[in-house]
Amino acid sequence: MPEPVETMVAEILRLVRCESPSDDLAAVARSADAVAELGTTRLGAAPERIVIDGRTHLRWRFDGAPRILVLGHHDTVWPVGSLDELPARADDETLAGPGSFDMKAGLVIAFHALSRLTDLAGITVLVTGDEEPGSATSRALIEDEARASIAALVLEAAGPDGALKIARKGVSRYEIAVHGRASHAGLDPERGVNATLELAHQVQAVALLGDAAAGTTVTPTRTSSGTTTNTVPALASFSVDVRALSAAEQERVHAGMLALSPRIDGARVVVDGGVNRSPLAADSSAELFRRAQRVADRLALPPLTGISVGGASDGNFTAGVGTPTLDGLGAVGGGAHAAHEHVLIAELEPRVRLLAGLIDDLRAAPPGPPAPAASSTPAPISTTAR
């Protein structure tokens, strides 16, 4: 294994072994320390630590123009202790471990690519600590940095065979609470209003809001109901995940969610939620993708392909404020959020070369100005009670 690649593998393993589940603030802070130490070594400067509601984000900002945002996150979906069952490990071909592909390898790729540039003037590196649960505390940071930049380069993991992610669906999230009335299930069930039965009606109504032809999925996910086995449930709830290719579809589903009404007399339905991320449309990435393809050709790298995916990232936010955005520039591998999560070691160095080459290309011939910026205020959370 060549020395630079061996170094990258060791650094990725170091980050993976510092577990960082999003909801464990102490673990995320420890991970931020590890990322900061590595970034300081590679970039020659320490980051600014930004702690919001206990969540730790890192930012390196180097003066100069044009401004280019390099974006990633260091939190993962894996709870502390996952390494006991899925240890971080590497052989000659593959590196594996929780969070390796999504997306700690992408951070190492970014640091090594930037260390190869002649200077870092105009570069901002933002590494957030709450991407997995929706970026509630980092969204304003991301959008503000994007507005000041000519391009956002997102180091999320690549698609199959190294494809760049040129479009992403938008995400909406909802929590539905169903209120009934408790009673004894044996003595007087007719006096109750069964929240579980009402929940069943609402789950079916929500699922019908999906539109496969439009690429819109509306998926009821986590559910909860009742207290004891002999009590008519007074309260039930479920979560809903919505993915859509267009803002118009997000708005249609939102209207449908707010129009939910109870089917059982005496029940009440409360809907909380709304748009979390707008879609990353293909036109936001088109010019950057063409440039990346030319850079790959110039560097004698394999031809690049692009893919549209259902998963969202912080690239949805950068595109949402009008900044040209290219995603999926991170590791090649597979198994995000799964036990077989892994990174292909042979692809690390080519991804470093691609990112460094793309940044040089953008500096030499900056793209046109970003589209007019949107508001940084998060989409409103709507509540309806009936």
Side-chain angles (χ1 to χ4, degrees):
M1 190 183 299
E3 189 277 331
V5 176
E6 185 175 0
T7 299
M8 279 191 279
V9 167
E11 292 172 349
I12 296 167
L13 289 173
R14 190 186 318 158
L15 295 185
V16 171
R17 287 168 179 151
C18 187
E19 295 176 297
S20 54
S22 308
D23 59 355
D24 187 328
L25 302 185
V28 171
R30 290 192 297 270
S31 172
D33 290 340
V35 174
E37 180 181 1
L38 176 59
T40 299
T41 298
R42 293 292 160 203
L43 305 182
E48 177 187 2
R49 294 177 68 95
I50 304 169
V51 181
I52 304 173
D53 294 340
R55 299 186 180 275
T56 307
H57 317 296
L58 302 173
R59 180 170 60 194
W60 286 262
R61 188 188 282 149
F62 299 92
D63 292 338
R67 299 215 61 80
I68 297 171
L69 175 61
V70 177
L71 182 60
H73 67 90
H74 67 102
D75 62 312
T76 75
V77 299
W78 297 93
V80 170
S82 297
L83 290 170
D84 295 339
E85 296 293 328
L86 300 168
R89 64 197 187 281
D91 55 28
D92 289 341
E93 297 181 353
T94 304
L95 183 155
S100 56
F101 182 60
D102 182 16
M103 59 156 284
K104 293 186 175 181
L107 301 179
V108 173
I109 289 169
F111 291 144
H112 278 258
L114 294 173
S115 71
R116 296 188 182 190
L117 302 179
T118 55
D119 65 75
L120 295 175
I123 301 295
T124 295
V125 181
L126 182 60
V127 181
T128 66
D130 67 346
E131 190 274 344
E132 295 292 358
S135 308
T137 69
S138 61
R139 176 174 179 172
L141 288 172
I142 294 164
E143 292 180 333
D144 287 347
E145 293 296 342
R147 285 191 184 88
S149 303
I150 62 167
L153 306 178
V154 185
L155 271 294
E156 289 281 0
D161 300 318
L164 301 186
K165 294 175 179 176
I166 57 175
R168 287 184 179 272
K169 288 184 178 181
V171 178
S172 302
R173 290 176 173 156
Y174 297 90
E175 295 291 332
I176 314 297
V178 178
H179 297 266
R181 183 171 62 248
S183 67
H184 195 290
L187 296 178
D188 52 1
E190 70 282 353
R191 288 179 173 271
V193 177
N194 196 316
T196 298
L197 289 178
E198 183 61 54
L199 178 144
H201 290 304
Q202 297 303 321
V203 166
Q204 291 293 325
V206 164
L208 290 174
L209 292 172
D211 186 341
T216 302
T217 60
V218 181
T219 308
T221 55
R222 180 181 55 200
T223 64
S224 175
S225 182
T227 54
T228 67
T229 58
N230 61 347
T231 302
V232 172
L235 180 65
S237 64
F238 67 103
S239 303
V240 183
D241 179 285
V242 180
R243 309 281 168 144
L245 290 168
S246 70
E249 273 295 281
Q250 286 183 304
E251 292 168 6
R252 179 189 67 79
V253 172
H254 187 65
M257 297 294 291
L258 297 185
L260 293 174
S261 60
R263 299 278 297 278
I264 299 174
D265 287 345
R268 186 164 57 95
V269 178
V270 178
V271 180
D272 289 327
V275 174
N276 173 259
R277 289 176 167 94
S278 300
L280 193 170
D283 58 0
S284 178
S285 65
E287 180 181 355
L288 294 180
F289 181 54
R290 287 192 293 269
R291 285 175 177 254
Q293 288 180 307
R294 291 196 298 267
V295 168
D297 182 64
R298 186 165 66 245
L299 296 175
L301 298 175
L304 287 176
T305 58
I307 188 172
S308 175
V309 297
S313 81
D314 287 336
N316 291 67
F317 293 140
T318 61
V321 298
T323 302
T325 298
L326 187 59
D327 205 335
L329 286 160
V332 180
H337 299 194
H340 64 287
E341 184 168 0
H342 66 281
V343 171
L344 299 180
I345 291 172
E347 299 295 336
L348 291 172
E349 198 276 338
R351 299 303 268 199
V352 168
R353 293 171 59 203
L354 174 65
L355 180 60
L358 180 57
I359 292 173
D360 277 339
D361 185 79
L362 290 168
R363 286 168 143 184
S375 169
S376 64
T377 304
I381 299 299
S382 301
T383 302
T384 294
R386 292 182 176 84

